[in-house]
Amino acid sequence: MAVVLPHRAIEYASKSANPKQAILEVVGDLSDVEIMGDMVLVGIFFRPEKTSGGIIRPTANVEEDAFQGKAGLVLKWGPNAFVNPEDGSLYEQQVAVGEWCVFKVGDAWSVSIKGYPCRLVRDTSIKMKIK
């Protein structure tokens, strides 16, 4: 089955010295995107094309993060994300917009926002925050 990938966005993100800035530049303003319920919109992190040891990863290897990437940048929340349904209070543990998080790929829905690969993840499926 053929899959169309946003090659320019992936290349830009994997070659950027600042991946957070790269994601935000490609995705841009999200005021026209409404996230429902307890879902969290996460922009996928693409590992750098060039490793710390100087090895250039093949394009197919870089693009694999679109399918198997487990880390991403929190872009937007739904109105019920991180809210305790019993009393309406916010959970103590949550991730803020602009923070990096980790999730299980199988727990997320693949979406493309303005040509950038993203995931919709239920708030409880986010397992870790990372710097």
Side-chain angles (χ1 to χ4, degrees), residues 50-55:
K50 188 174 185 178
T51 68
S52 58
I55 297 170

Side-chain angles (χ1 to χ4, degrees), residues 37-79:
D38 61 353
M39 302 302 280
V40 178
L41 179 65
V42 177
I44 296 174
F45 171 72
F46 286 89
R47 293 172 291 153
E49 179 187 51
K50 188 174 185 178
T51 68
S52 58
I55 297 170
I56 306 280
R57 296 170 51 218
T59 302
N61 187 268
V62 172
E63 291 174 347
E64 188 61 26
D65 286 344
F67 306 105
Q68 297 298 324
K70 298 160 186 65
L73 182 69
V74 176
L75 299 172
K76 197 166 183 176
W77 292 5

Side-chain angles (χ1 to χ4, degrees), residues 9-130:
I10 293 170
E11 182 178 356
Y12 182 63
S14 68
K15 290 183 178 181
S16 176
N18 185 341
K20 179 178 183 177
Q21 186 63 34
I23 293 170
L24 294 175
E25 284 178 15
V26 174
V27 172
D29 178 33
L30 292 173
S31 60
D32 59 340
V33 176
E34 183 177 357
I35 308 301
M36 308 302 281
D38 61 353
M39 302 302 280
V40 178
L41 179 65
V42 177
I44 296 174
F45 171 72
F46 286 89
R47 293 172 291 153
E49 179 187 51
K50 188 174 185 178
T51 68
S52 58
I55 297 170
I56 306 280
R57 296 170 51 218
T59 302
N61 187 268
V62 172
E63 291 174 347
E64 188 61 26
D65 286 344
F67 306 105
Q68 297 298 324
K70 298 160 186 65
L73 182 69
V74 176
L75 299 172
K76 197 166 183 176
W77 292 5
N80 298 327
F82 307 106
V83 174
N84 185 338
E86 293 178 13
D87 63 8
S89 64
L90 285 175
Y91 289 127
E92 282 185 40
Q93 289 188 317
Q94 52 187 282
V95 290
V97 171
E99 289 187 310
W100 295 99
C101 67
V102 176
F103 52 90
K104 180 180 170 190
V105 175
D107 291 341
W109 289 47
S110 293
V111 294
S112 179
I113 302 293
K114 299 179 184 172
Y116 193 85
C118 297
R119 299 253 194 266
L120 276 172
V121 185
R122 194 168 302 283
D123 60 355
T124 55
S125 294
I126 295 175
K127 303 302 182 188
M128 182 171 36
K129 285 198 292 189
I130 53 178

